[in-house]
Amino acid sequence: MANAWKRDKPTTLLSPKFLFLLFSFTLLLFFLFIFSTPRSSLTNPTFFAINTHLSFNSISPFDCFNSPQAHPVVASVVEGVRYPFMYSLSDFGTLPDKPHKNIARMLKGKPFRKPDISVTVQEVLEKAKSEGRNGFVVDVGANVGMASFAAAAMGFRVVAFEPVFENLQKICEGIYFNRVADLVTVFEAAASDRLGNITVHKLVGRLDNSAVSATGAKMAFKSNEEIAFQVRTVPLDEVILESERVLLLKIDVQGWEYHVLKGASKLLSRKGSQAPYLIYEEDERLLQASNSSAKEIRDFLRTVGYHECTQHGTDAHCTKKG
């Protein structure tokens, strides 16, 4: 999802000693956090239990409790959102010379920059809340949870789909840091238009650019190492029950959006205000790399009743009239 970050002033090169102190300090805070938490909440496997408020078909949620812990852990709160939340970085940049911009911000005592999608999600859900509408959020291509935790911080239930294991580990950390195990359920899968398996291409150092299309994955980062792996595919209609109301469907899958939408035909065909507010990335280059197009998507959306779509950068927002 295109994020309009504000540019920081250029960061001076960081010495290995300074970075070592940063990570040592981060680990110290982490262990202080762990040991100051009652042991009952740490040793009880139900902390990462499946969200009992929702029922699912076809697939079981990712087991955060039994997933190996990633390290190091670099996490912070997000600046400037109405409902604050934390998330963990999965990419650290090139250390020590070119750290991730949020690591540079931490060294200056600043919180993580707010992603545009986090602000947008909270604005959409704030409006739904003011209208007395309740339901849950579906986050497809969850990355490290910047949309999921923005919604959970407001008390909304979230169903997230993410195929990259390293990102899933960071989502699990965010579930713990934000205390939202009862609100967020995550699946290790790529949402698509059929059940099966598919090859996904991830880029070392740019996991947010992982894509089904190898061309799409490397479009902006040609020099990064690419790793192909197999992951399960599942249509949203096979997971989301008709009895469950979805307020918001957010899709950011680097060009695979058409296939995700096709697999959600029943969900998208719901009438009026029962249909979800839809946000999806509409990047023509990425779509063409996956053999689809913006026109194909808009034509399909009209067949399921979405006639109101507006462009916000590379994102499209679509609604149905109540």
Side-chain angles (χ1 to χ4, degrees):
M1 193 72 66
N3 291 323
W5 303 112
K6 293 181 180 178
R7 293 183 177 272
D8 285 327
K9 295 179 180 177
T11 306
T12 56
L13 297 184
L14 303 171
S15 68
K17 181 179 179 181
F18 204 49
L19 284 168
F20 175 77
L21 291 173
L22 165 69
F23 287 120
S24 299
F25 182 66
T26 302
L27 288 173
L28 176 62
L29 288 177
F30 179 73
F31 284 115
L32 286 173
F33 180 77
I34 291 292
F35 289 116
S36 65
T37 304
R39 288 198 57 80
S40 59
S41 67
L42 294 175
T43 57
N44 183 1
T46 59
F47 182 85
F48 282 122
I50 296 171
N51 188 341
T52 55
H53 298 292
L54 300 171
S55 300
F56 303 105
N57 294 324
S58 305
I59 187 172
S60 297
F62 184 71
D63 186 354
C64 280
F65 186 80
N66 287 311
S67 171
Q69 175 61 52
H71 58 83
V73 176
V74 180
S76 186
V77 71
V78 174
E79 70 172 1
V81 289
R82 183 165 183 182
Y83 301 87
F85 63 92
M86 296 179 68
Y87 74 89
S88 293
L89 296 180
S90 59
D91 295 316
F92 302 140
T94 304
L95 300 175
D97 295 334
K98 294 182 180 179
H100 189 285
K101 290 180 180 179
N102 276 326
I103 292 178
R105 287 179 66 88
M106 288 180 68
L107 291 172
K108 298 174 184 177
K110 297 180 180 180
F112 286 176
R113 289 176 298 180
K114 59 182 178 184
D116 284 352
I117 188 59
S118 304
V119 177
T120 299
V121 164
Q122 292 193 351
E123 287 175 349
V124 170
L125 295 177
E126 188 83 84
K127 185 173 187 296
K129 208 172 187 178
S130 69
E131 295 170 352
R133 291 187 289 124
N134 196 16
F136 66 97
V137 174
V138 178
D139 184 2
V140 180
N143 193 2
V144 295
M146 292 174 284
S148 292
F149 298 134
M154 299 177 67
F156 286 94
R157 299 168 295 162
V158 179
V159 177
F161 295 82
E162 174 55 45
V164 178
F165 182 75
E166 293 88 342
N167 287 342
L168 288 163
Q169 290 179 300
K170 297 305 173 182
I171 291 173
C172 290
E173 290 171 8
I175 288 173
Y176 183 74
F177 292 151
N178 292 292
R179 304 297 195 271
V180 290
D182 60 332
L183 294 175
V184 178
T185 303
V186 60
F187 293 99
E188 184 179 15
S192 190
D193 52 356
R194 66 192 68 188
L195 285 167
N197 293 283
I198 201 167
T199 300
V200 173
H201 303 266
K202 64 181 178 182
L203 297 185
V204 176
R206 287 302 311 220
L207 295 174
D208 56 326
N209 271 65
S210 302
V212 172
S213 164
T215 303
K218 299 204 74 171
M219 191 168 287
F221 302 94
K222 293 181 174 58
S223 62
N224 291 58
E225 180 187 355
E226 172 198 328
I227 299 174
F229 64 99
Q230 287 279 308
V231 70
R232 183 175 182 179
T233 60
V234 60
L236 293 181
D237 285 339
E238 294 288 334
V239 181
I240 308 301
L241 300 179
E242 292 184 20
S243 59
E244 298 285 1
R245 184 173 187 180
V246 178
L247 290 176
L248 171 63
L249 170 57
K250 167 258 172 187
I251 307 171
D252 178 11
V253 288
Q254 300 296 302
W256 201 246
E257 282 76 10
Y258 177 68
H259 302 275
V260 177
L261 293 165
K262 287 279 285 184
S265 297
K266 291 181 182 178
L267 171 61
L268 296 171
S269 295
R270 295 180 184 181
K271 303 297 182 183
S273 61
Q274 295 300 310
Y277 188 105
L278 174 62
I279 302 174
Y280 69 93
E281 186 175 34
E282 194 178 70
D283 187 312
E284 189 66 40
R285 297 180 308 153
L286 291 172
L287 291 170
Q288 289 183 4
S290 295
N291 299 313
S292 62
S293 67
K295 181 181 184 304
E296 189 174 28
I297 289 177
R298 294 294 181 101
D299 289 344
F300 166 73
L301 288 174
R302 280 189 281 271
T303 69
V304 292
Y306 281 87
H307 299 282
E308 306 288 332
C309 290
T310 56
Q311 202 72 24
H312 299 255
T314 58
D315 301 337
H317 292 218
C318 302
T319 58
K320 286 187 182 181
K321 292 182 179 179

